[in-house]
């Protein structure tokens, strides 16, 4: 076990699928603005392709992956709860304001 793993033994990876790579990118840009407040927690964002996209040869990613590392389970829980609140807000804004999502809603109702 290396020193970093010993200092941050608690970890969690969250993957959130989005309908399009552009929406995943929008969410990433909105969420990465807020830095982790505690030095006891580390967070890393990335966008990865879905398994279906990889099979179909599409290299663009539509899954927002967030990896957390923390010194304790409690610190991990607090950080992830805060992230979930922010993610919920970002998704609500996307649903209300994004033209791609609105177009998808209209297409489903026809």
């Amino acid at each position: 076990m290396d020193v970093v793993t010993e200092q941050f033994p608690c970890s969690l990876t969250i993957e959130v699928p989005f309908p399009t790579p552009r929406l995943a990118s929008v969410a990433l840009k909105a969420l990465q603005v807020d830095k982790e407040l505690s030095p006891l927690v580390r967070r890393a964002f990335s966008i990865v392709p879905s398994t279906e996209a990889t099979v179909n040869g599409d290299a663009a990613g539509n899954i927002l992956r967030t990896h957390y590392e923390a010194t304790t389970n409690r610190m991990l829980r607090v950080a992830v709860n805060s992230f979930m609140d922010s993610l919920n807000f970002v998704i609500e804004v996307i649903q209300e304001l994004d033209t791609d999502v609105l177009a998808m809603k209209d297409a489903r109702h026809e």
Side-chain angles (χ1 to χ4, degrees):
M1 187 177 277
D2 63 8
V3 175
V4 173
T5 305
E6 288 178 10
Q7 291 175 347
F8 294 87
C10 306
S11 66
L12 177 69
T13 300
I14 302 167
E15 292 187 345
V16 181
F18 284 87
T20 66
R22 189 182 69 75
L23 292 176
S25 178
V26 166
L28 171 70
K29 290 174 184 174
L31 292 166
Q32 71 184 5
V33 171
D34 295 326
K35 303 297 180 205
E36 278 302 318
L37 298 177
S38 173
L40 304 176
V41 178
R42 292 183 181 171
R43 175 182 69 191
F45 290 110
S46 60
I47 295 179
V48 296
S50 67
T51 305
E52 290 177 12
T54 304
V55 169
N56 295 332
D58 185 4
N62 69 318
I63 296 178
L64 173 64
R65 179 180 290 163
T66 309
H67 180 74
Y68 275 94
E69 294 177 339
T71 56
T72 65
N73 284 329
R74 180 180 182 279
M75 291 304 299
L76 181 62
R77 178 181 51 81
V78 169
V80 169
N81 281 345
S82 176
F83 169 74
M84 289 299 196
D85 287 341
S86 296
L87 178 63
N88 184 51
F89 181 70
V90 167
I91 290 172
E92 286 177 358
V93 170
I94 287 173
Q95 287 176 328
E96 290 297 319
L97 301 178
D98 194 271
T99 56
D100 287 351
V101 174
L102 294 174
M104 291 171 81
K105 283 183 184 178
D106 290 342
R108 281 191 223 145
H109 289 85
E110 291 178 355

